[in-house]
Amino acid sequence: MKAELEAIQTEVLEQLKQIASSDELETLRITYFGRNGKLTDVMKGMGSLSKEERPIVGKFANDVRATLTEAFEKTKTALESQQQEQQLKDEAIDITLPGRKPAYGKAHPVIQTLERIETIFTRMGFQTVTGPEVETEHYNFDALNTPIDHPARDLHDTFYLTDGQLLRTHTSPVQIRAMESQKPPLRIIVPGKAYRVDYDVSHTPMFHQVEGLLVDKHVTFSELKGVLVSFARQMFGDQTQMRFRPHFFPFTEPSAEADISCTVCQGKGCRSCGHTGWIEILGAGAVDPEVFKAVNYDPEKITGFAFGMGVERIANLQFRIPDIRTFYENDLRFLQQF
Ligand code: DAH
């Protein structure tokens, strides 16, 4: 039995040298010290020894057990410190590496243009106001002198909601809201979103407009021209020419559309301007007396002018992209160019 114990001790000490993980160590422990372990088995056989032999072999067995227990502990400690070192190595941070830069966002190209337009009018003394995108027929049409049979009221252009509400088709309803809440004089611009059932290379169902409204005593059409020419030159350069063509809008009388000299060919005529040398950028006019009546202003005492422009169109004159729908496809490769 002594020889057996000695063999076990040598065996275990030998195997401990090969142990590489705490799992392996545990398996080895169970193999020898477990309930049916090899050492446990030998100890169980002690009962069959004689009275004289038992204390001697017993002491020997205890010594073997103590030696092995100590060897196990040592291996365990060694494994643990090895593991810790490995972990420190794995999780090491190289503080000499350059930091990772956060990705900076920036304003969408259409918003960049919108902000430029706003800045120019702000310098001319216009105050920025905003209004709701969900509007009523009253503000979007009726109060703007747009009769029920006007083509702009056609279902094809307007997104109608329930309860007589709709998505505003232009920023003009904010003219009405502003005049209802303020007394003249008024000098405002209204940047914002508008919606129409429209989708092609130059139209998206949601787009941006900037509306302008100036109301006071003795406001003239030539002042409207002065403001818009000044705007166009600040926006597109000092050489920009502007022309006004007669047009019709229900809420202005007289009305005009304003063109600027083509930014690509400087008015000589090219593909961008359809070989006319001119590009339309906005609608404008003298506020119709009917609109003043709708907000209880006295058209005998008060005059004014208004204008409205599409921001995507102006952004496109600056950035020249073939299809304005790409503004809203959220392709970062496209957007990061601006
Ligand atoms: N609301 C018009 C549109 O969406 C643009 C416009 C034209 C606005 C003339 C005005 C204006 O204020 O006077 O097409």
Side-chain angles (χ1 to χ4, degrees):
M1 189 168 277
K2 228 172 150 182
E4 247 179 292
L5 286 167
E6 250 166 7
I8 287 177
Q9 176 164 321
T10 330
E11 217 172 283
V12 173
L13 290 177
E14 200 49 48
Q15 285 190 45
L16 274 176
K17 287 186 199 151
Q18 321 287 327
I19 294 293
S21 73
S22 29
D23 281 351
E24 278 175 35
L25 186 69
E26 180 61 6
T27 313
L28 187 68
R29 192 190 63 78
I30 293 166
T31 314
Y32 289 93
F33 292 94
R35 201 137 50 87
N36 299 311
K38 289 185 184 174
L39 187 66
T40 318
D41 278 351
V42 176
M43 304 284 249
K44 275 181 199 160
M46 298 251 277
S48 60
L49 292 176
S50 67
K51 249 187 186 173
E52 295 74 35
E53 279 176 316
R54 212 177 293 157
I56 301 164
V57 178
K59 183 176 180 306
F60 188 72
N62 280 338
D63 286 349
V64 169
R65 192 194 238 323
T67 308
L68 292 183
T69 308
E70 200 189 302
F72 264 87
E73 280 308 315
K74 263 196 194 147
T75 311
K76 197 173 155 201
T77 321
L79 277 176
E80 274 168 6
S81 66
Q82 232 175 56
Q83 259 167 20
Q84 210 169 34
E85 253 168 61
Q86 191 58 42
Q87 194 178 1
L88 282 175
K89 237 188 241 168
D90 290 347
E91 293 172 7
I93 294 169
D94 183 351
I95 56 162
T96 65
L97 282 174
R100 284 192 202 125
K101 286 203 183 120
Y104 286 111
K106 58 179 173 181
H108 187 281
V110 170
I111 299 302
Q112 289 178 33
T113 301
L114 187 77
E115 284 173 354
R116 237 184 105 192
I117 297 170
E118 250 187 274
T119 305
I120 293 170
F121 283 108
T122 302
R123 283 199 210 118
M124 289 196 264
F126 285 77
Q127 202 193 335
T128 299
V129 300
T130 54
E133 289 167 29
V134 173
E135 264 297 4
T136 60
E137 295 202 44
H138 172 76
Y139 285 106
N140 198 76
F141 293 127
D142 297 305
L144 287 163
N145 193 34
T146 309
I148 195 110
D149 53 358
H150 194 277
R153 295 189 80 154
D154 194 310
L155 257 170
H156 290 290
D157 290 331
T158 310
F159 287 105
Y160 283 98
L161 307 173
T162 49
D163 304 333
Q165 292 191 304
L166 45 79
L167 294 179
R168 68 180 179 195
T169 56
H170 48 182
T171 43
S172 306
V174 188
Q175 286 188 26
I176 304 297
R177 291 182 176 274
M179 287 191 282
E180 277 179 351
S181 64
Q182 295 175 49
K183 284 201 176 78
L186 242 85
R187 188 159 40 167
I188 58 160
I189 51 161
V190 185
K193 293 185 170 82
Y195 302 83
R196 282 181 208 173
V197 184
D198 226 344
Y199 188 69
D200 59 43
V201 289
S202 50
H203 296 90
T204 48
M206 182 283 299
F207 57 100
H208 295 77
Q209 288 190 329
V210 175
E211 189 82 14
L213 175 70
L214 188 145
V215 176
D216 204 344
K217 288 175 188 144
H218 315 300
V219 177
T220 65
F221 205 95
S222 59
E223 285 164 334
L224 166 65
K225 287 176 92 170
V227 165
L228 292 179
V229 168
S230 169
F231 160 73
R233 298 211 166 130
Q234 290 180 66
M235 193 74 198
F236 302 106
D238 289 342
Q239 306 308 312
T240 309
Q241 296 297 307
M242 197 172 219
R243 74 171 184 186
F244 290 77
R245 282 178 291 101
H247 199 75
F248 172 79
F249 294 106
F251 29 89
T252 42
E253 184 60 36
S255 304
E257 270 188 343
D259 301 336
I260 53 161
S261 48
C262 179
T263 50
V264 178
C265 63
Q266 274 72 45
K268 286 184 207 77
C270 68
R271 238 175 42 167
S272 292
C273 55
H275 303 283
T276 62
W278 297 99
I279 291 174
E280 184 233 310
I281 61 156
L282 55 83
V287 179
D288 194 294
E290 290 301 316
V291 173
F292 284 143
K293 282 186 207 160
V295 294
N296 288 321
Y297 280 13
D298 184 353
E300 298 298 326
K301 293 187 185 143
I302 291 295
T303 52
F305 64 71
F307 56 87
M309 63 186 85
V311 182
E312 280 76 0
R313 199 190 169 85
I314 292 173
N316 208 12
L317 288 177
Q318 293 182 284
F319 304 128
R320 282 188 212 130
I321 58 160
D323 185 339
I324 74 154
R325 290 175 292 193
T326 40
F327 276 138
Y328 298 113
E329 282 164 3
N330 288 338
D331 185 336
L332 283 181
R333 292 168 304 175
F334 170 77
L335 295 173
Q336 275 163 349
Q337 299 173 69
F338 304 99

